[in-house]
Amino acid sequence: MKATESRMTGVCHWCAKPETADGDKHLVYCSSDCQVASWPLHKPICNSNAAAAKSLPTDAAAMVRGLKEWYALHRPLLNVAVIHALSLPTQPGRIDTHCARLAVAPGTHKVLEGELLPLSEGHSARGLRERFENADGTMKRKGTPGIALLLLECARVLGAV
């Protein structure tokens, strides 16, 4: 089972057993043991997002919270959209060379535009991708394609999910 499917089907993000307990706000786990085992890989992503949110002005922080709530509500559809935008079923290597960008309107979160971006040297998203290399490698060793990068842009606030 792919990691992206774990969120859509309610199975543990770590071991792929059916989810029986609530844990992280964005991932599902079957037990606290699986959540603890996953934490070293999930921690850099979670801490990066938390640090970014703390550095924003209050109105921008509220915008980020709204964007995260919108993402959580639409995550299954967005996961499928990213998988297909990157053509991962036929070109799995694109998970390492490209990312998806989606711009939404502040407040309404109406989708304004989307595009596929190459992660070339010097691209700002490349730095984000490099921060998650350890988690990506672990997910690949578990048999998944790895971690796909989706950049959500709302006004001038950008977040990686």
Side-chain angles (χ1 to χ4, degrees), residues 66-131:
L67 187 59
K68 284 184 175 187
E69 289 170 5
W70 177 84
Y71 171 75
L73 182 64
H74 299 290
R75 181 185 4 237
L77 178 61
L78 291 169
N79 286 344
V80 171
V82 169
I83 288 167
H84 290 287
L86 294 173
S87 301
L88 295 181
T90 58
Q91 300 178 57
R94 290 185 93 178
I95 202 166
D96 297 318
T97 61
H98 290 75
C99 69
R101 178 186 157 271
L102 192 63
V104 297
T108 65
H109 300 108
K110 177 184 174 188
V111 176
L112 302 174
E113 65 180 16
E115 65 182 324
L116 189 60
L117 300 171
L119 294 175
S120 56
E121 290 299 321
H123 190 284
S124 59
R126 181 129 186 109
L128 287 171
R129 181 89 183 122
E130 290 168 355
R131 278 197 257 169

Side-chain angles (χ1 to χ4, degrees), residues 8-151:
M8 293 185 277
T9 60
V11 298
C12 180
H13 181 70
W14 189 251
C15 71
K17 291 179 185 173
E19 173 194 12
T20 58
D22 289 335
D24 185 277
K25 295 177 186 175
H26 302 289
L27 300 175
V28 294
Y29 297 98
C30 68
S31 67
S32 58
D33 289 340
C34 283
Q35 186 175 6
V36 169
S38 176
W39 179 242
L41 300 173
H42 178 63
K43 183 178 178 179
I45 298 166
C46 196
N47 286 345
S48 175
N49 288 339
K54 286 181 184 177
S55 68
L56 295 173
T58 305
D59 57 335
M63 187 184 303
V64 168
R65 278 192 303 278
L67 187 59
K68 284 184 175 187
E69 289 170 5
W70 177 84
Y71 171 75
L73 182 64
H74 299 290
R75 181 185 4 237
L77 178 61
L78 291 169
N79 286 344
V80 171
V82 169
I83 288 167
H84 290 287
L86 294 173
S87 301
L88 295 181
T90 58
Q91 300 178 57
R94 290 185 93 178
I95 202 166
D96 297 318
T97 61
H98 290 75
C99 69
R101 178 186 157 271
L102 192 63
V104 297
T108 65
H109 300 108
K110 177 184 174 188
V111 176
L112 302 174
E113 65 180 16
E115 65 182 324
L116 189 60
L117 300 171
L119 294 175
S120 56
E121 290 299 321
H123 190 284
S124 59
R126 181 129 186 109
L128 287 171
R129 181 89 183 122
E130 290 168 355
R131 278 197 257 169
F132 307 127
E133 281 182 3
N134 185 34
D136 184 62
T138 298
M139 296 309 292
K140 286 178 180 176
R141 286 189 296 280
K142 289 173 73 174
T144 74
I147 296 175
L149 184 59
L150 169 62
L151 302 176

